Amino acid sequence: MKNMKKCFILLSSLWLCAASLLAGCSGKENAGEKNSIRIGVSLYRGDDTFINNIRGELEKCAKEYEKETGVKVNLDIQDAKGSQNTQNDQVERFISLGCDVMCINPVDRTAASVIIDKAMAADIPVVFFNRQPVEEDMDRWDQLYYVEAAAKESAVLQGSIVVDHYRENPESLDLNGDGVVSYVLLEGESSHQDALIRTEWSVQTLKDGGIPIEKLTGGIANWERSQASALMEQWLEKYPGQIELILCNNDDMALGAIDAMERAGITGISVVGIDGTTPGLEAVESGKMMGTVSSNKELYAGAVFGIASSRALGEEIPAGIELEEGKYFKCPQQIVVKNHK
Ligand code: GAL
C-alpha cells in the first residue's frame, strides 16, 4: 500500500513535470504576444508554517517556469495577516496592477464572494487554495479553481499510523496496560473545513481499526504551536500519567504538544500530526513524533501555479493537473513514519 502510494506520487510528479514542459512549449508560442505574466498571491497568514512551505514551492515553480518558457513571471506575494479586509484590499491592488490571475488563500472562507465579485468584474481568474470557499461561491463562475490536500484522506492516513503501531505493539500506546488508549485532541480553527473533518475521521479510523479508545479532553489551538503548547501544559497537569496519545490536526500543534512535554520532562506519549512541514518531518526523523501525513508540496504548489500560469496566458490547463468537476485539484498525500518515508 505504502509502495503503491509512493509510486503514484512519483508518477504524478513525473506527469506534472512533463505537463509543465508541455505548458512551457505552448508558453513559448504565446511568448510573441505575451512574454510576461503577473500573478497576485494573497496568503491568509504568512507566519503559518504549512502555508510558508507552499509559498517556497510557488517561488521555485515561478523560477523553473521562467527558465523553461522564457516567459517572465511577476509573482506578487502578499500576507493578509489574518484580516479579511486587508486581503480584500490586496485583491483590489492586484486588479489595479493588472494581474492576469490571482491565487488566494482566503482568510475567511465564507467571505470569498467579495473576492469573486471583484475578480468577475475585472475578468481575472482565481485559484483558491487551502481554505475552501463554499460550493455556491465556487459554482458562480467557470474561472474559479480550488487546490487542497483532502481532509478526510489526511485523517484516515493519520489514524492508520496509530492503528499500525497499535497492531505491532499495543503496549507502546496503552502505556498503563488498562486495555484502553486514552487520548487528547488538538484541533485547528473551528471555522476551517479541515479541522472538523480531520478530527472526525482520525478518531473514526482508530475505532474502525479496533483500538479501544477513550477521549480525556480536547481543545482548539488554531493550528498554532504556542497555543497547543499552552493547552498541553494544562492537560499534563490535569491528567497526570493518563495521556497516552495526542491526536493533532496539524504538525505545528503536534510540535507545541511536544514542547510542553519536553518542558515537563515527560516522555513516552505518542504524538501524530498532519502536513509534513519541514519541522514536522524533522520531528518524525528524530523520533519525537510518531508520524505525520505529508502532502506533496511540490505537486500542491505545482497545481496552483500550473492552473494560474495557463489561465494567465489563456491556455488549456496542463493535462497532468487532473481537475474534479473542472475546478478542484486534490493533492496526493502519504504517511511519514521514522525510516519509512
Ligand atoms: C491546514 C494545515 C494547517 C494550516 C491550515 C491553514 O490545511 O494543515 O497547518 O496551515 O491549513 O489554513
Side-chain angles (χ1 to χ4, degrees):
M1 180 65 187
K2 265 177 208 153
N3 280 344
M4 262 176 63
K5 268 225 157 62
K6 260 194 221 162
C7 191
F8 170 61
I9 285 167
L10 192 69
L11 275 176
S12 331
S13 314
L14 291 173
W15 202 9
L16 197 73
C17 280
S20 69
L21 281 177
L22 284 178
C25 295
S26 45
K28 260 204 179 108
E29 263 173 38
N30 233 307
E33 307 148 29
K34 204 165 180 148
N35 54 15
S36 74
I37 53 176
R38 184 179 274 274
I39 305 178
V41 182
S42 172
L43 310 176
Y44 94 105
R45 277 179 59 165
D47 62 357
D48 178 295
T49 311
F50 175 70
I51 295 299
N52 242 309
N53 280 185
I54 298 296
R55 173 196 184 134
E57 290 300 328
L58 272 175
E59 285 166 340
K60 278 192 215 158
C61 282
K63 285 205 183 99
E64 273 163 34
Y65 183 86
E66 283 190 333
K67 244 194 265 163
E68 276 171 18
T69 65
V71 175
K72 173 148 181 29
V73 181
N74 191 329
L75 194 65
D76 186 349
I77 304 183
Q78 298 295 324
D79 179 1
K81 298 197 169 128
S83 158
Q84 190 56 62
N85 284 340
T86 304
Q87 184 161 66
N88 294 347
D89 291 346
Q90 290 169 349
V91 165
E92 270 176 19
R93 184 180 150 271
F94 291 151
I95 293 172
S96 65
L97 284 172
C99 278
D100 300 292
V101 61
M102 296 187 279
C103 301
I104 308 292
N105 171 217
V107 174
D108 177 355
R109 69 189 199 93
T110 62
S113 57
V114 178
I115 294 171
I116 295 172
D117 284 340
K118 294 182 199 295
M120 284 174 78
D123 198 22
I124 301 176
V126 185
V127 186
F128 290 103
F129 61 100
N130 171 260
R131 301 162 72 87
Q132 185 168 14
V134 295
E135 210 179 323
E136 299 85 81
D137 283 340
M138 286 302 296
D139 287 344
R140 286 182 56 200
W141 193 27
D142 63 358
Q143 293 304 310
L144 304 175
Y145 302 88
Y146 178 64
V147 174
E148 67 166 356
K152 180 176 170 186
E153 187 191 5
S154 326
V156 170
L157 289 172
Q158 181 185 56
S160 71
I161 296 175
V162 182
V163 171
D164 285 352
H165 271 79
Y166 186 78
R167 289 193 179 148
E168 256 170 48
N169 183 6
E171 293 79 37
S172 69
L173 280 151
D174 181 12
L175 300 172
N176 59 13
D178 67 353
V180 176
V181 175
S182 306
Y183 72 94
V184 297
L185 240 170
L186 281 164
E187 299 189 66
E189 289 161 279
S190 55
S191 57
H192 197 303
Q193 79 285 346
D194 285 353
L196 285 173
I197 301 172
R198 287 181 189 175
T199 296
E200 179 188 347
W201 283 99
S202 183
V203 172
Q204 189 59 43
T205 306
L206 302 193
K207 288 184 186 157
D208 293 346
I211 308 186
I213 48 171
E214 169 201 35
K215 179 177 174 184
L216 292 174
T217 188
I220 293 170
N222 295 310
W223 312 117
E224 276 189 39
R225 185 167 180 158
S226 56
Q227 290 190 34
S229 173
L231 274 181
M232 197 62 216
E233 194 172 296
Q234 291 169 22
W235 297 344
L236 288 170
E237 274 173 28
K238 193 161 175 207
Y239 303 98
Q242 293 176 64
I243 303 172
E244 296 169 316
L245 169 68
I246 309 173
L247 293 176
C248 309
N249 281 174
N250 78 340
D251 282 354
D252 258 14
M253 295 191 294
L255 292 165
I258 293 167
D259 292 340
M261 288 192 287
E262 284 181 346
R263 283 199 302 276
I266 292 170
T267 53
I269 302 177
S270 298
V271 187
V272 278
I274 287 176
D275 279 345
T277 58
T278 311
L281 294 175
E282 280 164 12
V284 175
E285 199 44 45
S286 68
K288 289 182 180 176
M289 213 198 290
M290 181 200 233
T292 187
V293 178
S294 183
S295 42
N296 184 322
K297 319 289 174 306
E298 234 174 276
L299 222 52
Y300 194 119
V304 173
F305 187 82
I307 299 169
S309 53
S310 53
R311 289 296 77 200
L313 289 168
E315 292 172 348
E316 289 293 310
I317 291 169
I321 302 174
E322 266 194 83
L323 297 180
E324 285 177 21
E325 296 170 47
K327 58 182 150 215
Y328 295 105
F329 180 84
K330 290 188 171 33
C331 175
Q333 310 181 62
Q334 67 173 335
I335 282 173
V336 180
V337 290
K338 199 168 158 76
N339 304 328
H340 282 280
K341 271 202 207 160

